Amino acid sequence: MALDEATAQFLKQLGEAGSSPLHELTLAAARTMYAQLHSLSGQGPPMARAEDVTIESEDGASFPARVLTPTTASRGVIVYYHGGGWTVGSIDDVDAVGRHLAERTNCTVVLVGYRLAPEHRFPAAPRDAYAALCWAAAALPGQPIVVAGDSAGGNLSAVVARRAKDDGGPVIDLQVLIYPATDCDLDRASYHDPANQLLLDRHAMVWFWDHYLPDPTQRADPDASPLRAADLSGLPPAVFVLPEHDVLSEEGEAYAERLRQAGVPVRLQRAAGQMHAFFPLIGVLPGSVAALTLVAESIDAALHVRT
């Protein structure tokens, strides 16, 4: 089906405002545009506490995180990694989404401000992502753990889920992968489909990868392209949210199928009429509200199984 009416109208408004394609912007301008886009989501519901902390990564560097504590007793922890092609984005950009997740699930949400490329190229982001998972497990001991993220954040969620299993790290009860980047192959059919050249297009993904991991020969590393991992068995159950119109749709589906083949329980929801980057736009796109409900219900079900 075509884009839903709200999304089509939103893109029309962006075009009328003179927005340039991301890959034509300077790095600073791209980061500003991303922040302005996510500011449309509003402030989100109030929390009992919102605390900014600093976490030390494996290489001794540090990065910020924000701990959102719901007004009711916490029954789990969600470690959330923001999107932005490993290059743009911040914890402020997903603060509203984190608050909604905390309120809907009664979980403490840890928003992870992993270091960005090109200032900090691969493997800084996956190292920070795993350090944040370990920090959350130590700071909130005994609570069920969910890793979640959109786009590049979905990539990092998949990476830390596999590493936690391989390295005997924190036990993860659920991984929520929202239109995740899972592979470095930029010539899948979904990358060339004209219907998918929207907020994120193939040019933008080339731009992101060139900033994050410039050497194409290194991009098959499973910590960059989790679809390339040799063994995906024993991973936590996964929930996928894949918009209908997205250059990443095929690699998301391929990763879901690899998990199924490895015996991992998978729930995959295709968001009809939606585009890449729709999930955090809660104050703008009705489809994001429906996706948030799906994610919250999936987390709730996972916590019920745990308890």
Side-chain angles (χ1 to χ4, degrees), residues 8 41 46-47 65 112 119 126 159 161 176 178 189 213 232 243 261 266 276 279:
S41 297
M47 297 283 101
V112 182
E119 297 91 341
V159 168
V176 179
I178 303 165
L213 219 174
L232 297 177
Q261 293 174 356
V266 171
H276 189 92
F279 183 72

Side-chain angles (χ1 to χ4, degrees), residues 105-224:
T105 63
N106 294 332
C107 287
T108 299
V109 175
V110 179
L111 304 176
V112 182
Y114 56 90
R115 288 171 290 168
L116 298 177
E119 297 91 341
H120 305 283
R121 290 191 166 109
F122 176 87
R127 285 176 174 172
D128 292 357
Y130 190 71
L133 169 67
C134 295
W135 181 93
L140 298 159
Q143 294 208 31
I145 297 175
V146 175
V147 294
D150 59 289
S151 195
N155 167 280
L156 295 174
S157 298
V159 168
V160 300
R162 192 192 74 252
R163 181 173 172 189
K165 186 264 294 187
D166 290 346
D167 292 358
V171 174
I172 296 171
D173 294 84
L174 182 70
Q175 50 180 323
V176 179
L177 310 180
I178 303 165
Y179 39 82
T182 68
D183 195 28
C184 56
D185 182 358
L186 303 180
D187 283 314
R188 296 175 181 272
S190 59
Y191 274 94
H192 294 281
D193 187 339
N196 295 342
Q197 312 305 312
L198 302 167
L199 274 185
L200 181 77
D201 60 12
R202 186 180 184 278
H203 295 297
M205 283 304 299
V206 171
W207 189 85
F208 283 137
W209 275 104
D210 285 348
H211 280 87
Y212 181 53
L213 219 174
D215 185 351
T217 65
Q218 297 181 17
R219 294 177 183 176
D221 186 316
D223 283 350

Side-chain angles (χ1 to χ4, degrees), residues 68-142:
L68 302 173
T69 304
T71 55
T72 54
S74 178
R75 54 198 289 259
V77 56
I78 302 170
V79 184
Y80 193 92
Y81 307 100
H82 66 79
W86 312 280
T87 304
V88 303
S90 71
I91 55 179
D92 289 335
D93 297 333
V94 288
D95 184 79
V97 168
R99 289 168 179 263
H100 283 289
L101 283 172
E103 181 188 56
R104 295 286 295 271
T105 63
N106 294 332
C107 287
T108 299
V109 175
V110 179
L111 304 176
V112 182
Y114 56 90
R115 288 171 290 168
L116 298 177
E119 297 91 341
H120 305 283
R121 290 191 166 109
F122 176 87
R127 285 176 174 172
D128 292 357
Y130 190 71
L133 169 67
C134 295
W135 181 93
L140 298 159

Side-chain angles (χ1 to χ4, degrees), residues 17-67:
S19 297
S20 299
L22 184 143
H23 68 279
E24 295 180 359
L25 299 176
T26 65
L27 183 62
R31 288 174 174 169
T32 298
M33 182 190 73
Y34 192 85
Q36 291 174 340
L37 187 67
H38 284 72
S39 69
L40 301 175
S41 297
Q43 296 184 351
M47 297 283 101
R49 186 169 66 256
E51 179 184 8
D52 287 346
V53 300
T54 299
I55 300 174
E56 184 174 327
S57 193
E58 297 175 317
D59 57 8
S62 61
F63 58 93
R66 180 169 299 157
V67 183

